[in-house]
Amino acid sequence: MAKPKPPFLTRAGQYTANLILSAPLKLALCLPYRPRVWLMGAMMSRVLAPLLGYRKRVRDNLDLVWADLPEADKRRLARQVPENFGRTLVEIYSGAQLKDHLADTKPEGPGVAALEQAHAEGRPVILVSGHFGNHDAVRATVSRDFSPVGALYRPLDNSYFNEHWEAAIESVAEPAFARGRRGLAQMVKYLRSGNIIALLVDQHVSDGADLTFFGHPARTTLSAAEMALKYNALVLPVFGVRQPDGYGFRAIIQDEIPHGSAEDMAQAMNDALEAMVRQHPEQWFWVHRRWKQRGKKKAG
């Protein structure tokens, strides 16, 4: 068994990695808003994605769950998915300017009325989404038009990068809760007080429920559903859909997910995201290792 690296070397490695990974962001942030968004998308798609293996991972996932998608579409998505990720990343780092850019974007969709009613009644609300479009576009607009939306985020292993990543998340909307015992306790207290929280539910969870996504087994968290049932929270799927110009968004709030079993509610969250991804496949982060239990069934 290899010995753990001394703390100094670990810190030095993280510091160096942070310098390298932050350089494209810092370069883009020197530019006005629209050029920076374009540049970060281009750099992620054309330079960083091939180096990081993102294109291959996009293709592998598409080959698994969307095998009959035309080859030309798979090649296109291998370029467009990292581009959307790069744009989203620099938009989050441009918190104040992102919110200015969203000034004319209003929450829309059949779930807006339910959100308005819950907000008026002081009922807890859980907005659920995935790494699609720019999920923080919805958090920013709902925070502006209703009340601050608390977000749960996973602290990054690189402490140097995590420091400015946390600040970026909070620049879009506060509060932000770090995943962990303390952060989860703070988030639950915030929710129980009748507030709104936002959760991303589209990543593999080793101890999650055996549900499906794109017709394949996908371990899925039940935490959002379980909190909704425990605290009588309204659950609304939401999506920040990037518009064809690459800069604008629609902040879509869908119909509420009715209370039932936690498994049924979580599957409904998967289904809502899948339907949106099928409409805009270039906007979901196909780089995730979402299907670690590879089933035999293939969905078209």
Side-chain angles (χ1 to χ4, degrees):
M1 181 179 295
K3 294 182 180 180
K5 295 180 179 179
F8 172 76
L9 294 181
T10 301
R11 291 198 302 272
Q14 288 189 355
Y15 181 78
T16 302
N18 176 56
L19 288 178
I20 295 171
L21 295 173
S22 299
L25 269 172
K26 291 180 179 179
L27 175 62
L29 289 169
C30 291
L31 300 174
Y33 183 79
R34 281 182 172 249
R36 82 174 56 157
V37 172
W38 175 86
L39 178 62
M40 194 63 204
M43 285 195 296
M44 183 62 71
S45 177
R46 301 172 190 175
V47 179
L48 297 176
L51 292 174
L52 296 171
Y54 282 4
R55 288 188 178 182
K56 182 180 184 302
R57 215 176 297 167
V58 170
R59 289 296 306 265
D60 288 346
N61 280 330
L62 288 169
D63 287 342
L64 173 67
V65 303
W66 209 341
D68 61 354
L69 193 68
E71 181 63 24
D73 288 338
K74 292 179 181 178
R75 289 197 299 268
R76 173 179 58 83
L77 291 174
R79 298 189 304 271
Q80 291 181 334
V81 166
E83 180 181 1
N84 181 73
F85 172 61
R87 285 175 176 254
T88 298
L89 184 63
V90 80
E91 286 163 349
I92 293 173
Y93 271 84
S94 306
Q97 289 148 307
L98 171 64
K99 289 186 283 190
D100 289 343
H101 190 72
L102 293 169
D104 295 327
T105 301
K106 303 296 182 184
E108 59 177 288
V112 172
L115 176 59
E116 291 175 341
Q117 181 177 352
H119 179 60
E121 296 173 350
R123 181 185 178 189
V125 177
I126 302 176
L127 307 179
V128 293
S129 191
H131 293 80
F132 175 91
N134 186 334
H135 46 276
D136 271 355
V138 181
R139 191 164 69 98
T141 57
V142 173
S143 293
R144 179 196 66 209
D145 293 352
F146 292 91
S147 64
V149 178
L152 182 69
Y153 73 97
R154 178 187 178 278
L156 303 178
D157 294 333
N158 188 314
S159 58
Y160 294 99
F161 199 98
N162 185 71
E163 185 175 347
H164 53 80
W165 173 237
E166 179 179 326
I169 294 172
E170 292 181 337
S171 74
V172 176
E174 293 185 273
F177 306 104
R179 188 183 297 273
R181 181 175 297 179
R182 181 181 179 186
L184 287 171
Q186 292 172 335
M187 184 188 69
V188 167
K189 181 179 180 181
Y190 187 74
L191 177 69
R192 290 176 60 186
S193 298
N195 292 303
I196 307 172
I197 64 170
L199 301 174
L200 302 181
V201 296
D202 62 336
Q203 290 183 281
H204 174 87
V205 178
S206 58
D207 60 349
D210 290 321
L211 305 180
T212 61
F213 187 55
F214 274 81
H216 280 249
R219 287 281 179 90
T220 302
T221 180
L222 297 180
S223 57
E226 290 171 344
M227 283 191 292
L229 294 172
K230 187 172 183 178
Y231 303 116
N232 189 32
L234 174 71
V235 181
L236 297 169
V238 300
F239 301 98
V241 183
R242 191 178 299 278
Q243 295 303 283
D245 67 356
Y247 303 96
F249 292 94
R250 292 178 64 195
I252 296 176
I253 302 179
Q254 296 185 338
D255 276 323
E256 69 176 285
I257 292 176
H259 286 196
S261 72
E263 289 79 6
D264 286 347
M265 294 174 69
Q267 185 61 58
M269 297 175 201
N270 280 357
D271 294 344
L273 176 60
E274 178 180 334
M276 190 61 74
V277 174
R278 287 186 179 276
Q279 293 179 49
H280 307 280
E282 74 285 354
Q283 297 197 35
W284 186 59
F285 196 52
W286 287 90
V287 177
H288 281 157
R289 292 184 173 91
R290 185 66 181 98
W291 299 273
K292 291 190 178 182
Q293 295 176 312
R294 301 212 163 191
K296 296 180 179 180
K297 182 181 176 183
K298 292 187 178 181

